Amino acid sequence: MEQTKFILAEKDMPTRWYNILPDLPEPLPPVLHPGTGKPIGPQDMAPLFPMEIIMQEFSPLNYVDIPEEVQAVYRVWRPTVLYRARRLEKALDTPARIFYKYEGTSPAGSHKPNTAIAQAYYNKKAGIKRLTTETGAGQWGSALALGCMYFGLELKVYMVKVSYHQKPYRRMMMETWGAKCVPSPSPDTRSGQAVLATDPESPGSLGIAISEAIEDAVTSKDTKYSIGSVANHVLLHQTVIGQEAMKQMEMAGFYPDIIVGCIGGGSNFAGMFLPFVKDKVQGKRPNLRIICVEPSSCPSLTKGIYCYDFGDTAGLTPLFKMHTLGHTFMPPPVHAGGLRYHGMAPIICHLYRLGFVEARAVPQVATFEAGVTFARTEGFVSAPETNHAIRVTIDEALKCRETGEAKTILLAHSGHGHFDMAAYDQYLTGKLSDYEYPEEKVREALAHLPKVPA
Ligand SMILES: *Cc1c(COP(=O)(O)O)cnc(C)c1O
């Protein structure tokens, strides 16, 4: 029998999150205060996050215990399944072995609840009554709506306007779980009003929506802010994916030669590869390749500058050392809304600079072609974000066909595409197009980088 699924029992679900920070060969550059240019400490973040989350952001410990209350919710859909993509392998006529870890079975349909549940829990524990956040395509907003539902918190979501209109079902999902969702830029905040004043037709961006959510959190009572990607603690929470995958690859009897994932802010892919990259950092797996895939229309790792920048458009966040296209950069409205962000997780940027991970940018139409190939072999209809990773997985498997190498490829499958059928329809009817890399707009945005005292 050819085994297709590698399934862990509930009791084999990880009980700790893996923290890469103490294992990094060089420490992560500090986060800076924009006013003083000095490293920020836990107290500076207290208006935004509860203390337990802040401590995780800076944690020197290799592992952080997952609270039992969080594990209990994780068990609703975790451990997730690792599949062997035998039909895709056959269709590609490749000697490569392709595995994918499927996060689409969470109630929200992506990996995002892995951190949403944890963040809702810690806020509830700290006595917080209400959370605010931003969302691009709506996956993060719906994941946090789910988390807030489980732990009884109010939630207001600022949703990037272009997606709010393109993807109404995500908003309805948030409302079903009891959250409030408004299109961003909104008239509800000063940051939103400022954007609307200069461009009433602004399609919005994650950077603008973050500004609105942060402003709301710091100016409202019993309210904190929650972030869906980029931050160290978010990547930490996502490491349940990689820890499970490691056990499942052992069950399958293979260690990956190549791990592929898509990166928006970097959380799903880091969650997958961080437990594996440890082996590479420690010299146990020097040949392991880790490929981060981003859209060629918003290529922060491959085309961005590695420097200090704000996480949001209005400049309300501290300064992060990361690959950035400039915090005022407005990415083209590609369907992979979750990948439209000007920056990238500092942990991923650091590992990229140190040479432990590589990056590749792919154009939109090619990603949908790959997604349709995946749907017509494996069956699952994948999120447009995930299609970026599938594209590169297929490309690497086709290279194996050329060279005859039987490499093992592990794909981080971040979620299903059931709310993205309009985008598939555009592709299937030949109406989908590529966006050029907006070089001029990036150059302009990079001119607005904050000045950091040397
Ligand atoms: C949000 C999202 C992404 C991108 O976010 P990361 O933090 O980079 O993981 C990728 N895939 C899906 C399905 C998403 O919802």
Side-chain angles (χ1 to χ4, degrees):
M1 188 193 77
E2 291 193 325
Q3 195 168 351
T4 302
K5 297 198 295 303
F6 299 88
I7 300 179
L8 294 171
E10 276 184 33
K11 66 171 173 45
D12 295 326
M13 192 180 77
T15 56
R16 303 179 301 175
W17 291 300
Y18 168 62
N19 179 23
I20 187 84
L21 294 181
D23 287 333
L24 289 171
E26 288 176 30
L28 198 65
V31 178
L32 302 182
H33 190 286
T36 63
K38 296 247 157 42
I40 62 162
Q43 274 314 324
D44 295 305
M45 301 178 95
L48 292 184
F49 305 111
M51 206 34 89
E52 278 193 89
I53 285 185
I54 296 173
M55 295 325 277
Q56 292 177 358
E57 193 63 21
F58 298 99
S59 177
L61 305 174
N62 268 132
Y63 289 93
V64 176
D65 287 334
I66 306 176
E68 177 47 41
E69 292 88 337
V70 173
Q71 288 189 43
V73 178
Y74 276 179
R75 285 197 290 269
V76 173
W77 72 95
R78 302 211 73 85
T80 60
V81 174
L82 178 82
Y83 291 92
R84 172 91 184 254
R86 297 197 185 267
R87 289 180 177 79
L88 178 61
E89 289 171 16
K90 283 204 186 77
L92 300 176
D93 190 25
T94 175
R97 290 174 283 261
I98 304 173
F99 293 86
Y100 59 101
K101 174 84 165 152
Y102 186 56
E103 290 293 306
T105 46
S106 77
S110 77
H111 65 286
K112 291 197 170 78
N114 296 331
T115 186
I117 301 303
Q119 293 191 48
Y121 166 78
Y122 286 116
N123 277 286
K124 179 72 180 185
K125 199 177 162 205
I128 299 305
K129 303 257 185 309
R130 174 177 177 266
L131 291 182
T132 65
T133 199
E134 72 286 343
T135 194
Q139 282 114 326
W140 170 241
S142 48
L144 192 61
L146 176 77
C148 287
M149 177 282 288
Y150 280 122
F151 290 103
L153 293 167
E154 280 176 51
L155 172 65
K156 178 157 175 188
V157 180
Y158 294 86
M159 182 168 184
V160 175
K161 197 196 276 169
V162 53
S163 300
Y164 184 92
H165 295 298
Q166 266 179 9
K167 302 185 176 179
Y169 294 107
R170 282 275 167 201
R171 164 180 61 77
M172 295 171 200
M173 204 172 184
M174 293 179 227
E175 289 166 351
T176 300
W177 280 317
K180 185 168 170 33
C181 176
V182 295
S184 165
S186 82
D188 303 2
T189 66
R190 283 163 167 268
S191 314
Q193 290 158 12
V195 176
L196 290 173
T198 52
D199 180 9
E201 302 304 317
S202 166
S205 73
L206 268 185
I208 297 171
I210 295 173
S211 302
E212 291 206 84
I214 289 182
E215 184 188 321
D216 181 338
V218 299
T219 56
S220 309
K221 197 163 157 284
D222 293 332
T223 301
K224 298 250 185 245
Y225 166 71
S226 175
I227 188 166
S229 188
V230 184
N232 299 348
H233 67 269
V234 178
L235 274 55
L236 173 82
H237 299 155
Q238 293 294 351
T239 58
V240 286
I241 301 174
Q243 293 183 76
E244 286 177 8
M246 223 169 196
K247 287 189 192 168
Q248 289 163 309
M249 289 302 296
E250 266 168 41
M251 288 165 76
F254 297 101
Y255 189 94
D257 297 297
I258 305 174
I259 310 181
V260 184
C262 63
I263 50 166
S267 73
N268 90 87
F269 193 38
M272 169 62 95
F273 79 64
L274 287 176
F276 288 93
V277 87
K278 179 182 176 188
D279 289 350
K280 192 172 163 82
V281 169
Q282 297 181 339
K284 289 183 213 150
R285 297 283 177 175
N287 298 325
L288 169 64
R289 290 179 57 206
I290 295 169
I291 310 178
C292 306
V293 190
E294 57 188 12
S296 35
S297 57
C298 189
S300 14
L301 266 194
T302 51
K303 292 272 176 73
I305 297 182
Y306 188 47
C307 63
Y308 276 99
D309 197 6
F310 291 108
D312 70 318
T313 302
L316 301 179
T317 69
L319 299 176
F320 301 96
K321 180 110 186 242
M322 60 183 177
H323 283 77
T324 177
L325 299 167
H327 65 282
T328 55
F329 173 63
M330 196 78 76
V334 287
H335 287 283
L339 307 185
R340 294 178 69 238
Y341 183 60
H342 68 273
M344 184 50 57
I347 287 179
I348 292 193
C349 297
H350 189 61
L351 289 167
Y352 181 60
R353 187 183 69 76
L354 295 173
F356 291 109
V357 305
E358 36 190 302
R360 209 170 290 173
V362 291
Q364 174 161 263
V365 175
T367 65
F368 275 89
E369 182 196 59
V372 169
T373 299
F374 194 83
R376 290 182 182 177
T377 50
E378 292 303 304
F380 292 109
V381 176
S382 310
E385 292 84 358
T386 315
N387 287 345
H388 288 68
I390 296 174
R391 174 73 267 161
V392 169
T393 300
I394 290 178
D395 290 346
E396 289 299 317
L398 291 175
K399 275 186 208 160
C400 288
R401 182 167 77 188
E402 298 294 306
T403 62
E405 288 169 289
K407 288 190 177 160
T408 299
I409 306 173
L410 172 58
L411 159 68
H413 194 301
S414 52
H416 70 62
H418 299 179
F419 295 108
D420 300 283
M421 297 322 298
Y424 275 86
D425 189 48
Q426 282 189 4
Y427 170 75
L428 293 169
T429 55
K431 291 183 196 123
L432 195 70
S433 55
D434 288 331
Y435 290 94
E436 289 300 308
Y437 166 60
E439 197 170 345
E440 196 46 50
K441 281 170 72 185
V442 170
R443 193 171 328 154
E444 194 191 309
L446 289 176
H448 295 107
L449 287 174
K451 308 241 176 325
V452 179

